[in-house]
Amino acid sequence: MKPKILVARRAPAEVLDKLAAHFDVDAVQGEEPLSPEALRERLAGKAGAYITGTERITAELLDACPDLRAVCTMSVGYNHIDVAACTARGVLVTNTPDVLTESTADFGFALLMATARRMSEGERLLREGRWKSWGWDFLAGSEVHGSTLAILGMGRIGQAIARRGRFGFGMNVIYHNRSRLAADAEAELGARYVAKDELLRQADHLVLVLPYSAESHHCIAAAEIALMKPTATLINVARGGIVDEDALAAALRERRIAAAGLDVFEGEPRVNPALLTLPNVVLTPHIASATLPTRIAMAQLAADNLVAALTSRPPPTPLNPQVLSA
Ligand code: DGY
């Protein structure tokens, strides 16, 4: 008998075919994520969970699903999974790093440029028939080339954004991270490590790419924003909860910083209403990794992880490999 698995969100056909060759697959068809109750019901009796960032795996859920042996998320972020609770119960957890690095960095840089150069504001104005003529300071934004790119969180995606800034746009790259990069990595990126306060003070464009955790919750709030230049922009392609959105909206409204570009939101898909009415914020619906090749690569990697995990082989990208040797 094949092990039973739940595919909790719609997935590419070729990935479902691969999974069906190994497992008895219960695949969710609709566009909406399952409610926590429906997830618990559908996961009962399953050995594997193929999920995305919209399914929360909690200790309670794990207790209600004692047959579960592997949780494989099609996302690099894993703040929706209680990894410690999984490890304590011998449940293997995997994510999908690397395959989305470059597309996410492309998007992060695109969002930076759209924000700095006021692209959404300009398009809105044009579509609404409010474009009257050329003016010397009409929709004048801030400079990208040669400016200071400040990166908070210098993992794979942060480094890929640093390369774009340094080598594509001649930017002065500074960063802050829990751990400093090795000297040769800093030299290769042309990036300088600074304290967090210094990063905020010097930033022309602050890009947030750090993982979300209790430690990083609202780590950009009123006090941090107060350190930034009135001409600075803030870009978030990490997780919404990193930023105190009320504090950010107030700063944008009062022009204490120039603009923001946000792809992620604390209560997404709900967006803080204070942000929706502001002209100086570019808003996108959590699509930084959304190119078809990248999403298919993520889906395939999550499937490869699940097949390996449930056939007693080491999965390509485990988060708690200690479960394998327990
Ligand atoms: C990720 O992979 O973590 C992206 O945010 C998509 O969920």
Side-chain angles (χ1 to χ4, degrees):
M1 250 191 9
K2 291 177 180 173
K4 291 184 178 156
I5 66 157
L6 174 69
V7 177
R9 295 298 301 272
R10 211 165 48 74
E14 60 266 43
V15 168
L16 288 175
D17 289 347
K18 179 189 287 189
L19 291 170
H22 298 269
F23 307 122
D24 177 355
V25 179
D26 174 12
V28 169
Q29 300 299 340
E31 287 300 325
E32 297 293 312
L34 295 173
S35 67
E37 299 71 36
L39 180 63
R40 195 175 55 234
E41 273 170 29
R42 295 276 287 262
L43 212 45
K46 304 287 183 350
Y50 182 102
I51 63 166
T52 69
T54 50
E55 286 68 51
R56 287 194 63 223
I57 304 293
T58 61
E60 269 176 7
L61 179 69
L62 294 169
D63 288 339
C65 304
D67 297 320
L68 202 58
R69 285 161 39 214
V71 171
C72 300
T73 184
M74 181 191 151
S75 61
V76 66
Y78 52 88
N79 53 290
H80 53 296
I81 304 171
D82 186 338
V83 179
C86 287
T87 306
R89 290 161 182 77
V91 176
L92 190 66
V93 185
T94 66
N95 68 339
T96 56
D98 300 319
V99 289
L100 49 51
T101 300
E102 298 300 328
S103 337
T104 304
D106 285 347
F107 188 91
F109 214 85
L111 190 55
L112 183 161
M113 295 196 74
T115 304
R117 300 302 306 272
R118 304 174 65 177
M119 287 186 182
S120 300
E121 212 180 334
E123 185 176 357
R124 266 194 308 272
L125 173 148
L126 179 151
R127 285 179 187 270
E128 290 163 10
R130 292 187 284 121
W131 181 22
K132 300 299 175 211
S133 73
W134 186 94
W136 75 269
D137 58 352
F138 177 56
L139 285 174
S142 41
E143 214 69 272
V144 174
H145 72 272
S147 65
T148 294
L149 171 62
I151 301 179
L152 186 57
M154 199 57 142
R156 303 174 192 83
I157 298 170
Q159 292 178 38
I161 291 175
R163 280 189 198 95
R164 282 157 178 74
R166 179 82 191 95
F167 303 115
F169 292 82
M171 294 170 93
N172 164 39
V173 180
I174 55 176
Y175 78 98
H176 183 78
N177 198 42
R178 258 181 316 188
S179 42
R180 188 172 171 171
L181 297 180
D184 57 344
E186 283 188 357
E188 185 252 315
L189 292 169
R192 191 163 54 85
Y193 179 86
V194 293
K196 185 178 164 195
D197 283 6
E198 205 45 42
L199 186 88
L200 296 164
R201 281 197 188 92
Q202 289 189 28
D204 289 320
H205 304 290
L206 173 68
V207 181
L208 309 177
V209 248
L210 65 166
Y212 182 53
S213 63
E215 196 191 328
S216 63
H217 176 74
H218 286 193
C219 78
I220 299 296
E224 288 73 24
I225 295 169
L227 297 176
M228 296 175 69
K229 299 177 192 174
T231 50
T233 71
L234 179 153
I235 312 300
N236 189 3
V237 286
R239 286 292 180 266
I242 290 169
V243 176
D244 176 341
E245 290 170 349
D246 288 330
L248 175 63
L252 289 167
R253 194 166 41 244
E254 293 157 20
R255 305 279 167 167
R256 283 187 275 114
I257 63 169
L262 307 174
D263 184 50
V264 285
F265 304 89
E266 188 159 10
E268 63 184 53
R270 179 193 158 275
V271 177
N272 187 324
L275 293 169
L276 288 171
T277 54
L278 292 168
N280 50 344
V281 55
V282 179
L283 305 168
T284 53
H286 201 147
I287 52 170
S289 65
T291 67
L292 274 183
T294 293
R295 286 288 169 82
I296 288 170
M298 292 166 71
Q300 293 282 13
L301 178 54
D304 291 344
N305 275 319
L306 190 50
V307 171
L310 294 183
T311 54
S312 306
R313 285 179 294 119
T317 52
L319 285 166
N320 56 354
Q322 63 273 38
V323 166
L324 291 165
S325 46

